[in-house]
Amino acid sequence: MRYIWTIAGLICVGLALLGIPLPLLPTVPFLLLAAFCFARGSKRLHDWLTTHPRLGHPIEDWNQRGAILIKAKLLATISVALVFGISLVFGVPIYVLAVQAVALGLVMVFIWTRPSQ
């Protein structure tokens, strides 16, 4: 079972790394999920991830204070606006837009109500 957690963690790290250059793919949630998986599958990889000079900082902010960087909040807001804007441009049906607006709105409320770092 440890191997499954380790493989899942590695996949999450890969997705997080893809999220660095791709604006619509979130990085931090995948890092948090990778840390969760590694804590159950590989102490060595968990320690590497949480102490990594670039990747470990958002994990520690979240673990210690539930905090999200202002820059991350702004990028998330821009990404959400872009996704909704693309849906409008492509003429997505109104009921889909309504579901999307509610879901994305709830995500934004969650993000902006977290402490800032």
Side-chain angles (χ1 to χ4, degrees):
M1 189 61 148
R2 287 178 28 152
Y3 296 110
I4 293 172
W5 285 113
T6 302
I7 290 168
L10 290 170
I11 291 168
C12 289
V13 168
L15 291 170
L17 293 175
L18 281 174
I20 293 170
L22 299 174
L24 297 178
L25 186 65
T27 300
V28 175
F30 285 117
L31 288 177
L32 294 173
L33 188 55
F36 175 85
C37 292
F38 287 154
R40 284 144 186 80
S42 172
K43 180 175 177 9
R44 183 176 60 85
L45 288 173
H46 182 264
D47 291 345
W48 167 80
L49 183 61
T50 57
T51 60
H52 190 277
R54 293 245 186 226
L55 303 177
H57 183 69
I59 296 169
E60 284 304 309
D61 284 345
W62 181 259
N63 285 340
Q64 293 175 1
R65 295 173 293 286
I68 301 173
L69 290 171
I70 285 287
K71 179 181 176 186
K73 290 180 178 186
L74 292 172
L75 287 172
T77 302
I78 291 167
S79 295
V80 163
L82 284 173
V83 165
F84 197 75
I86 290 169
S87 296
L88 289 171
V89 168
F90 282 104
V92 173
I94 191 73
Y95 63 90
V96 174
L97 287 173
V99 170
Q100 191 177 28
V102 169
L104 293 174
L106 290 173
V107 167
M108 288 291 92
V109 167
F110 176 80
I111 288 173
W112 283 101
T113 57
R114 301 303 102 202
S116 296
Q117 183 60 18

